Amino acid sequence: MKVGVLALQGAFGLHERVLNRLDVAAVQVRTSEELAEVDRMVIPGGESTAISKLLDANDLADPLAERLADGLPVLGTCAGLILLASEVVDGYPGQHCFGAIDATVRRNGYGRQSESFHAPIEIEGWELPFPGVFIRAPVIASAGPEVEVLAELDGVPVLCRQGSVVVSSFHPELAEDDRIHRWFVEQE
Amino acid sequence: MAAESMTGRETGTPLVKRGLAEMLKGGVIMDVVTPEQAKVAEDAGAVAVMALERVPADIRRDGGVARMSDPEMITGIQQAVTIPVMAKARIGHFVEAQILEALDVDYIDESEVLTPADEAHHIDKWAFTVPFVCGATNLGEALRRISEGACMIRSKGEAGTGNIVEAVRHLRSIIGDIRKITQADSAELFDWAKQLRAPLPLVREVAETGWLPVPMFCAGGISTPADAGLVMQLGAEAVFVGSGIFKSADPAPRAKAIVEAATNFRDPHILAKVSRGLGEPMPGLEIDGLETRLADRGW
C-alpha cells in the first residue's frame, strides 16, 4: 500500500514521518502523476488558502476531486478537513472544498494563535485519550446524518468519519502518538 | 506564558507555539505595509503576512530608528486577511512584544531589521503565550535564541538588499555545522557547546536529531522564484520575502510565482515556467557597499 501525502504546503513532512514510523510507504504528492499512484491519501494541516491556490497552480484540483469521488480513502487534518468539507464558513472566497464529507466547517473557528491549545481527546472505544493539538483550528459546525462523530471536545465534533474519509480539527501529526495514523491505514 | 484552563485546554505551550511554525512550512511569508498589500499577498497564496511600517529596503534608505508598527496599521491588516499576521518587535524590547501580544498577532519577529532596544539581552520569550521567531546567522546564535524561547528560526540574510548571498552564507553555516555535530562523538559535544556559546542540552539534541528543535525558515534577500528555490534546496523549510515583492515592478504575479517556487522548488521546469515575464525585480545592493549590516545586530 502506498500512502500519498499532499505536499503543496504545510505539515506534510510530519505526516510522512509518522507513516514511516509505522513502516508504511509514504510518498509526497505534488502532481497528478504522483496522485494517480497512491492507494490512500493524507491532506495535511497548513494554510488552506495557500493549499487551495497551489492545487490550481499544479493542476491537481480536478484529479483530486475525481479520486475523492471514486472513494479514495483520505485523512484530512485541520486545513485538510477544510478542503474535504462540504461547506466552509469564514473562508477565503473561492477556496476549494471538495465535499468528501458532509460537514460544515468554520475556518479559524477556534480563534487566532493565542487561542491555539492542546487537550486530551476521548475517542470512543479507545482506552487512552489522544493528545489533540489545535492550531488556529477549524470548528466542525455541523455534520450530516451520514457522518460518524468519533470524538468531541466540549460537545463539538473534532474527529469524524464518513465511509473512508476521516477528518480531524486537530493535528495528530504533531503528537508523539501514532494511533490515528495506524487506525487510518489499517481501515478495511 | 503557558496556561491551563478549567476544561483542560493548555495554551501557549512549546508544542502549540512550534505547531504554527510547522503549519507554515513550504510556504511564503510576505512583508506588507498596508491592508491592500496584505490582500495581494493572501491572493497570491502567502501563508502569513508580516505587518510592518516600512519594508527593509525603505528602512535602509531612510535611516533613523525603526520601531514596532502602529497598532492601528496592524489591526487593519488583521481585519483584511484570514491568514496569520506576524509583526516585528525590536531586539530586547519586551514591552513592544507585550503590546503585540495584546493586539493578538499570531507570531512576533524579534527582528534585527528594527533598531535594537537592548545591546545585551534578547526578550525572554518563555514569558509569552504568543510564539516568537528570531533571526540567526550561525548555529550558536540559533540555539541561543531557542534557549530564550524562540519557536522558529529564520536565517537572517541581509534584509532590504535583494541580494541572496548573505542568506546563502547563513544557511550554509547553520546547516553545515549541524551536519558536523551529527558526526561528533559525545566528548566533542562539550567543546561544540563552548565554541557555539550554546546550551549543551540543545547541542546534544541537534547531534541526535540532525536538525534544530524548531523549524528553520530563510529570510533576507529573496527576490526571485529562483532565490526561493535555492534556499529551499539548501534546506530552508519556508521563506520570508521582505522588500522583494512590493519593491518589484509588478508585485502580484511575482508573489504568486515565489509561492509556486517554494512548493515546486525541486522542479526546474516549473521554476522556469513561473520565472517567465515577471518584470523587473527589486533593485539590488552589493553587500560591500552597505553602510549598515542589519545581520550584525543581535548576538
Side-chain angles (χ1 to χ4, degrees), chain B residues 137 164-174 234 287 293:
Chain B
T137 59
I164 198 68
V165 67
E166 293 299 298
V168 169
R169 185 199 316 279
H170 299 154
L171 266 181
R172 280 200 181 276
S173 169
I174 295 169
L234 282 172
I287 303 298
R293 292 227 191 174

Side-chain angles (χ1 to χ4, degrees), chain A:
Chain A
M1 180 178 54
K2 211 184 211 185
V3 179
V5 182
L6 189 67
L8 298 173
Q9 191 276 314
F12 54 88
L14 291 179
H15 278 288
E16 236 185 320
R17 208 173 66 181
V18 180
L19 292 166
N20 288 333
R21 278 205 298 263
L22 296 172
D23 273 332
V24 173
V27 290
Q28 297 189 356
V29 172
R30 289 189 182 80
T31 65
S32 54
E33 292 78 21
E34 288 161 347
L35 176 65
E37 297 286 305
V38 304
D39 308 302
R40 281 171 199 242
M41 186 81 180
V42 176
I43 304 185
E47 272 308 311
S48 61
T49 52
I51 296 173
S52 182
K53 282 167 190 302
L54 286 160
L55 281 169
D56 290 330
N58 282 25
D59 296 323
L60 263 174
D62 291 340
L64 181 59
E66 279 169 30
R67 294 247 19 212
L68 290 170
D70 289 344
L72 176 72
V74 59
L75 169 66
T77 62
C78 196
L81 154 64
I82 295 173
L83 287 161
L84 293 170
S86 50
E87 195 188 343
V88 181
V89 180
D90 294 342
Y92 175 88
Q95 81 176 85
H96 284 293
C97 61
F98 291 103
I101 189 162
D102 183 14
T104 299
V105 298
R106 201 163 65 247
R107 185 153 170 253
N108 300 339
Y110 284 97
R112 304 191 75 93
Q113 175 62 13
S114 60
E115 289 162 276
S116 293
F117 65 97
H118 56 85
I121 305 296
E122 301 286 348
I123 300 174
E124 218 180 293
W126 291 23
E127 200 179 332
L128 296 170
F130 190 91
V133 187
F134 294 74
I135 308 288
R136 289 173 49 99
V139 165
I140 301 175
S142 69
E146 305 281 294
V147 176
E148 191 185 345
V149 176
L150 302 168
E152 291 185 339
L153 184 68
D154 299 334
V156 178
V158 293
L159 177 68
C160 296
R161 172 168 67 174
Q162 181 177 346
S164 56
V165 179
V166 179
V167 293
S168 66
S169 295
F170 56 94
H171 293 281
E173 74 279 14
L174 272 175
E176 295 293 321
D177 188 325
D178 302 341
R179 284 179 294 163
I180 287 178
H181 287 82
R182 185 188 302 276
W183 172 76
F184 171 67
V185 297
E186 283 174 358
Q187 272 197 107
E188 276 132 79

Side-chain angles (χ1 to χ4, degrees), chain B residues 120 124 152 168 295:
Chain B
D124 171 12
M152 179 202 298
V168 169

Side-chain angles (χ1 to χ4, degrees), chain B:
Chain B
M1 197 178 291
E4 188 169 356
S5 75
M6 298 287 281
T7 56
R9 297 186 184 190
E10 290 184 69
T11 57
T13 64
L15 181 59
V16 165
K17 291 174 169 181
R18 200 195 78 216
L20 181 54
E22 297 284 353
M23 297 311 137
L24 301 176
K25 280 184 179 176
V28 182
I29 300 152
M30 301 181 190
D31 278 3
V32 298
V33 300
T34 62
E36 293 71 34
Q37 287 188 354
K39 279 303 291 173
V40 171
E42 184 179 47
D43 289 345
V47 291
V49 292
M50 177 75 71
L52 72 177
E53 206 93 30
R54 290 173 288 170
V55 294
D58 290 338
I59 291 174
R60 192 176 281 292
R61 188 198 59 205
D62 298 347
V65 173
R67 308 178 180 91
M68 178 190 80
S69 300
D70 184 334
E72 191 164 289
M73 190 272 272
I74 294 169
T75 306
I77 288 171
Q78 285 171 320
Q79 285 163 352
V81 294
T82 63
I83 55 179
V85 175
M86 304 184 174
K88 289 182 193 286
R90 283 179 266 179
I91 290 174
H93 205 315
F94 53 88
V95 174
E96 282 188 349
Q98 289 166 3
I99 292 169
L100 292 175
E101 180 166 66
L103 292 171
D104 217 0
V105 302
D106 294 293
Y107 241 93
I108 294 176
D109 184 358
E110 186 182 17
S111 178
E112 71 283 358
V113 168
L114 305 184
T115 310
D118 189 321
E119 293 187 323
H121 308 94
H122 282 251
I123 297 170
D124 171 12
K125 292 163 277 285
W126 297 110
F128 290 80
T129 300
V130 62
F132 280 74
V133 51
C134 287
T137 59
N138 58 54
L139 182 57
E141 202 177 351
L143 295 179
R144 288 194 292 279
R145 296 297 82 79
I146 293 166
S147 74
E148 296 156 2
C151 296
M152 179 202 298
I153 292 296
R154 53 172 175 75
S155 58
K156 282 180 182 171
E158 192 55 39
T161 62
N163 189 337
I164 198 68
V165 67
E166 293 299 298
V168 169
R169 185 199 316 279
H170 299 154
L171 266 181
R172 280 200 181 276
S173 169
I174 295 169
I175 295 171
D177 275 352
I178 290 175
R179 271 197 284 264
K180 285 181 211 154
I181 285 183
T182 59
Q183 302 299 313
D185 74 19
S186 57
E188 289 169 330
L189 293 180
F190 296 97
D191 190 50
W192 268 107
K194 199 168 72 184
Q195 300 293 335
L196 292 172
R197 294 188 292 125
L200 182 62
L202 286 178
V203 173
R204 284 197 174 124
E205 188 174 343
V206 170
E208 274 164 32
T209 62
W211 198 240
L212 296 178
V214 302
M216 184 174 64
F217 296 1
C218 177
I222 295 162
S223 46
T224 67
D227 290 344
L230 175 64
V231 299
M232 294 289 287
Q233 285 198 30
L234 282 172
E237 296 178 293
V239 296
F240 283 85
V241 185
S243 320
I245 289 169
F246 290 101
K247 284 289 164 187
S248 72
D250 198 356
R254 180 166 298 268
K256 183 168 183 289
I258 293 176
V259 166
E260 292 179 33
T263 291
N264 300 292
F265 65 96
R266 287 193 201 284
D267 188 330
H269 296 287
I270 294 181
L271 294 177
K273 189 180 83 179
V274 303
S275 298
R276 278 174 200 272
L278 295 178
E280 279 296 306
M282 71 174 283
L285 296 172
E286 280 283 357
I287 303 298
D288 287 344
L290 299 178
E291 273 178 36
T292 307
R293 292 227 191 174
L294 300 175
D296 291 343
R297 296 170 170 178
W299 37 87

